[in-house]
Amino acid sequence: MNKSVFIADDDQDIVDLLTLHCEQAGFKVDSANNAMTALGKIEENSPDVAILDVDMPLGNGLCVREMMVNHQDLQSIPVIMLTASTSEETVRRCHEQMAYYVLKCPDVWSRVQPVLQELFHLKSEPADNMIEHEQNTLRSNGSCEPVDLMDTVFAILGAEDSSAVFDRDGDVPRRSEEPWVLLIEDDDDFALATRLRLQEYGVQVIRAAAGMEGYRRAFMEAPCAIVLDYELPQGNGDYVIRRLKESPATGDIPVIVLTGRREANIERQMRGLGASEFLTKPLDWKRLRTALEANLDLARG
C-alpha cells in the first residue's frame, strides 16, 4: 500500500500509538503537534487521509478542516476528527464539514481502524458497520453506553418536529409528506432543466451546487430522494454517497446517480456504495421519472 496518513495531535502518546498501527497496516505516516504545522504539512504533502485532534496549540483541528474545505487541492481529503468532547457544537461541526467524528479513548485505534478500513478497504479484520461505528463513538461522558444517534442529531439541530424541513433559504417550512427531491448538481443549465421537468411530474426540487453542501442539506432536511451528479466541486459523488449511506440520519434516503461518464466501473462503484439507480447524460427523462416514482414510494413507505 502506498497510501499516506497524516496525524496531528499534541498528545505524543496518541501520535505514537496511531503511527505504529498505521505503519503496521502499510501506511506512510507523517505527524505534527500543533494546528499551524499540521496545515502546512497537509498543504505540502496532500495525504490520502488526515487524522486531526480538535484541541491543539496554535489553533484546532476543526479550523484546519475548514481551511482544507476552502482549498481546491485539499477539500476532498477525508478527515477523521479525534476529540474527547461530546459537545453538541463539536458534533455538529464535524458533520457539517463531512469529517468522521471519533471519540478519544485509551484504545483509540479500535475506533480509527474501522474508518480506515472503510476508506481504503483494508484486508485485516472486517470493518465494523459505519452505523455501529458512529453509535459506539458518539458517547456521553466517555462511558461505554452507546447513544442513539438520531436522538442526538435532532437534539443538536434543535428539531422539535422532525417531519418539518425547509426550503432553499431555510425559512419556509415544508412537510416531509410532500414529495421533494434534493438535486446535487453543479451545472446551472442542467439543474434548471431538471427542476422544470420534475415540477411537471409534481415533484419539488431543492438544489445544492457542491458535494459538501448537498450532504449538509440532506443531513439537516431529509429529502424524499436525492439526485446526485458524479463529478462535483467539494466532494465527488462517490465521496458524498459514502457519507450519506454511512450515517443513520441519511442512510435510507434513495440516491439516483447522474453522470456524463459511461465507464462500467463507475456504475459498479456507485451501485456498490448504495445507489438506487445509475443514469447517464444526456438524460432520458422517462427513466428518471420511473426511478423517482419507484424510490419515492420506497421513501414514503
Side-chain angles (χ1 to χ4, degrees), residues 46-99:
S46 295
D48 294 292
V49 62
I51 303 173
L52 306 178
D53 186 19
V54 169
D55 296 310
M56 290 186 287
L58 306 179
N60 64 65
L62 288 167
C63 290
V64 172
R65 175 57 175 166
E66 287 176 356
M67 293 179 186
M68 292 172 64
V69 168
N70 293 316
H71 192 299
Q72 184 175 0
D73 296 331
L74 306 178
Q75 60 192 204
S76 63
I77 296 175
V79 170
I80 300 170
M81 300 301 308
L82 297 181
T83 180
S85 171
T86 57
S87 75
E88 296 177 354
E89 179 64 19
T90 298
V91 176
R92 180 201 294 270
R93 290 179 67 186
C94 286
H95 279 285
E96 286 179 345
Q97 297 176 34
M98 296 180 72

Side-chain angles (χ1 to χ4, degrees), residues 247-265:
S247 172
T250 55
D252 292 334
I253 300 174
V255 179
I256 299 168
V257 175
L258 306 180
T259 180
R261 299 177 61 174
R262 298 177 178 274
E263 296 94 322
N265 64 307

Side-chain angles (χ1 to χ4, degrees), residues 24-268:
Q24 288 176 343
F27 291 101
K28 179 182 177 182
V29 181
D30 193 9
S31 63
N33 60 12
N34 66 73
M36 292 299 293
T37 302
L39 183 59
K41 287 191 172 185
I42 292 171
E43 287 179 326
E44 180 180 358
N45 300 317
S46 295
D48 294 292
V49 62
I51 303 173
L52 306 178
D53 186 19
V54 169
D55 296 310
M56 290 186 287
L58 306 179
N60 64 65
L62 288 167
C63 290
V64 172
R65 175 57 175 166
E66 287 176 356
M67 293 179 186
M68 292 172 64
V69 168
N70 293 316
H71 192 299
Q72 184 175 0
D73 296 331
L74 306 178
Q75 60 192 204
S76 63
I77 296 175
V79 170
I80 300 170
M81 300 301 308
L82 297 181
T83 180
S85 171
T86 57
S87 75
E88 296 177 354
E89 179 64 19
T90 298
V91 176
R92 180 201 294 270
R93 290 179 67 186
C94 286
H95 279 285
E96 286 179 345
Q97 297 176 34
M98 296 180 72
Y100 294 85
Y101 170 91
V102 172
L103 193 63
K104 285 186 175 180
C105 68
D107 185 20
V108 68
W109 174 245
S110 67
R111 297 178 177 177
V112 171
Q113 182 188 29
V115 183
L116 295 176
Q117 287 174 324
E118 170 72 15
L119 290 169
F120 301 111
H121 309 292
L122 302 182
K123 295 183 179 180
S124 54
E125 297 182 14
D128 292 335
N129 183 280
M130 288 303 297
I131 293 176
E132 295 175 353
H133 159 72
E134 295 215 23
Q135 289 179 329
N136 290 330
T137 56
L138 195 58
R139 303 166 190 267
S140 297
N141 301 320
S143 70
C144 294
E145 295 299 323
V147 176
D148 186 278
L149 183 60
M150 287 302 294
D151 289 343
T152 304
V153 167
F154 286 124
I156 290 169
L157 299 178
E160 296 180 357
D161 179 2
S162 62
S163 67
V165 293
F166 299 90
D167 76 349
R168 178 91 171 115
D169 297 320
D171 57 3
V172 179
R174 179 195 303 274
R175 304 301 298 180
S176 60
E177 300 89 54
E178 298 176 356
W180 72 279
V181 168
L182 175 63
L183 173 65
I184 309 178
E185 169 65 62
D186 62 327
D187 186 306
D188 292 339
D189 292 336
F190 185 83
L192 177 60
T194 303
R195 181 194 297 271
L196 294 175
R197 186 60 63 100
L198 293 185
Q199 285 177 345
E200 292 178 3
Y201 304 152
V203 177
Q204 299 302 309
V205 176
I206 303 297
R207 180 201 176 193
M212 289 187 63
E213 179 193 357
Y215 170 77
R216 286 194 295 266
R217 296 194 73 87
F219 182 79
M220 298 182 70
E221 300 174 17
C224 298
I226 296 170
V227 178
L228 174 66
D229 190 20
Y230 180 76
E231 295 182 300
L232 292 162
Q234 297 183 20
N236 274 340
D238 56 341
Y239 183 57
V240 175
I241 194 173
R242 180 180 285 113
R243 294 308 312 273
L244 289 168
K245 292 301 180 181
E246 78 191 9
S247 172
T250 55
D252 292 334
I253 300 174
V255 179
I256 299 168
V257 175
L258 306 180
T259 180
R261 299 177 61 174
R262 298 177 178 274
E263 296 94 322
N265 64 307
I266 293 179
E267 180 173 0
R268 288 195 299 269

